[in-house]
Amino acid sequence: MMGSLKKTWGRLNSIRNKIFFSILMFLIIPFLLTFYFMDKPLEKVIEQKIGRSAQDALYLVNFNVQLFLEEMLQSSVNITINPSITKLLKDPDAYSKYEKLRLNDTVLNRLFSSYFSNSYVTLFDREGNWLSTSYMFDPLLHGYLDSPWYQDMMKKPYQIKWMFNNKDLMYADRKPLITLVKTITELQTNENTGMIVFSVREEDIRKYLTGLEGDTYLVDAGGTIVSSPEKNQIGRSLLQEAYMPKVWKSARGQEIIEKDGQKWIVNYDTVRINSWKIIQIVPYDTVFKEIFDIRKTNLLIFFAIFVVFSFITISIAYSISKPLKLLRKKMRELEDKEFYSNIAVTGPQEISSLIETYNRMVRKIRGLLGRVKDEYEQKEDMRFRALQAQINPHFLLNTLNNIKWMAYIRNDKDVGDMLSNLGGILEGSIGRGGSLITLRQELDYIENYIALMKMSHPDTISVNIDVPDELMDQEVINIMLQPIIENCLVHGLQTKSGEGRITIQAWHDEDDFVLQVADNGTGMTPEKLEEIRRRLEAGSAAPAPERIGIKNVHERIRLQYGDAYGIALSGNPDEGTTVEYRLPIRKAQKGIGDDTKSDAG
């Protein structure tokens, strides 16, 4: 199984196949990227433009419906402010039956509007008396008068209610009606004197919903379809539709939904006068049919280009791989003959040049084979001698450790402590694996060094290390504190009377790690401080007497991290000296400085 896979991979890994698949990938990937970054955004832009166009068309429909309903409201108001109607509602007995019929004819039936073909007007007074333009069924009439919403409206002034009557119809022609119910309120007393029920046929408002693509609905506040070009949809509830929660939340907008495995575009707007919704539902594929057709055409063109390009690519790959296969065959024969035969120079110019170069290489290899054999024997002898001459640092540390314990056994504690500290220093200087260590390791090394130095100054030197524990894993340069601490002891504190203090602190300054060493020694004159600063800025090419000290550390930091980092000095005579290290914030890699340690320290 594995052999078959290797054989198959070997065939696929040929130069011919690599050329073929590489060229095809250079063709396919740019096309796919172009298709993704151009086709999809283009579809999105067109979708937005079509959405805005649909919204504009829906706005015009909404505008006409708004005018239609405003005309209903205005007509009802005109009827209620008529003095004769006001008098009739206050005192029904003031008019005879004939006079009421005349009022019906001159006031209620004299409404002329371009918005609706016929209107149904009914007036109720507080006693339940009524006057109507059309014959009403008594059961349905009492259903109005006894309904809770009717009773509630009569108790409050200035009430308006929009209704859709599709089943419980009051009038004899049994037409679906859009109804406005409005209380008639007397301004002086702020009390209702009656109620007007103003209705128009649904078919009068339906004509404003035609002309839009897809399905268009006028939906009341209860989610019921009030009007639609599709008559069989009138009266159907849309409350269970998935898009309705979003429709209720905003005044107008557009949603793209999926239903029955098909995408739909839902446009909606709100009729301001009564908060009814106009909803348009259009199949997504219908809107974007032209885009899909263009996409199919592009795919067919790409497939044709792909086929032609594949044929050309195979021809190019074969013309390149054929002479290379011949060259590989000859090279294998040459390997079997141990480089003692040449390959005949044939093939295209590039291949011929390659064969000539290979023949020259073979001749050189034959000459080198003899020398390699001799040099190998010499190197083995030299490696053996180097191993004999090599000194193992652990031998020195372990020997020092033995001497230390002998001193402790003989109760010579001072010598033992000095040897212990010396072992720590020796281990820190030769036992670490590289030039980068953690700050914790560097401070351990300095503590051993200071402990050794304090042997000769037990009461005059104090060292305070104030470094947060979270900074202990900071990456630092190996043995970068010792030269500075030594300068503090030798040049700063040795001639000072009283206690000498050295303070080591660390913190983060934006993106930099700052380590500060300060003493309270004799300090430096401004001239001496300026001279040292010039030497630090002079670079590694300038001669520096203190190169193995401060300048050496400064140059090592700059070589490791760049010219933006290094050492800065400050101080005044008799006020001590402060040395500030600036390094990038960088956590030391795991395992740095974790070489095998002896127990000499």
Side-chain angles (χ1 to χ4, degrees), residues 280-341:
Q280 178 193 21
I281 304 177
V282 186
Y284 189 92
D285 294 342
T286 301
V287 177
F288 294 97
K289 183 178 183 301
E290 295 182 0
I291 297 178
F292 296 150
D293 292 342
I294 293 174
R295 184 178 296 168
K296 290 179 181 178
T297 304
N298 290 337
L299 290 175
L300 291 175
I301 293 174
F302 170 75
F303 180 75
I305 294 174
F306 178 80
V307 172
V308 174
F309 209 85
S310 298
F311 178 76
I312 297 173
T313 302
I314 291 174
S315 302
I316 296 173
Y318 184 77
S319 64
I320 295 175
S321 64
K322 183 178 180 180
L324 289 177
K325 282 185 177 181
L326 178 61
L327 178 61
R328 182 183 64 178
K329 179 181 178 182
K330 296 295 183 181
M331 290 173 65
R332 285 179 176 176
E333 293 177 357
L334 181 63
E335 183 180 2
D336 295 336
K337 295 179 181 180
E338 298 181 352
F339 301 96
Y340 280 98
S341 65

Side-chain angles (χ1 to χ4, degrees), residues 473-489:
D473 290 330
Q474 166 69 29
E475 179 185 279
V476 298
I477 301 293
N478 190 9
I479 314 180
M480 73 176 191
L481 283 174
Q482 188 272 336
I484 306 302
I485 300 295
E486 183 178 356
N487 284 341
C488 292
L489 295 173

Side-chain angles (χ1 to χ4, degrees), residues 498-565:
E499 182 185 10
R501 294 189 306 275
I502 298 177
T503 303
I504 301 176
Q505 296 177 300
W507 63 86
H508 284 167
D509 182 12
E510 295 183 354
D511 294 333
D512 294 341
F513 168 76
V514 178
L515 181 67
Q516 187 185 84
V517 179
D519 64 43
N520 64 339
T522 56
M524 288 185 285
T525 62
E527 294 79 11
K528 180 65 176 177
L529 187 62
E530 185 62 30
E531 178 184 354
I532 295 176
R533 288 173 177 169
R534 284 198 305 270
R535 289 175 180 172
L536 293 179
E537 294 298 326
S540 58
E546 299 178 5
R547 184 170 181 81
I548 61 173
I550 296 176
K551 186 170 179 62
N552 175 266
V553 175
H554 181 69
E555 289 298 325
R556 288 166 60 206
I557 294 175
R558 295 179 69 180
L559 286 172
Q560 180 67 34
Y561 299 114
D563 294 341
Y565 304 97

Side-chain angles (χ1 to χ4, degrees), residues 28-41:
I28 294 173
I29 292 178
F31 174 80
L32 293 178
L33 292 177
T34 303
F35 181 80
Y36 180 80
F37 288 107
M38 292 185 63
D39 185 79
K40 291 298 181 182

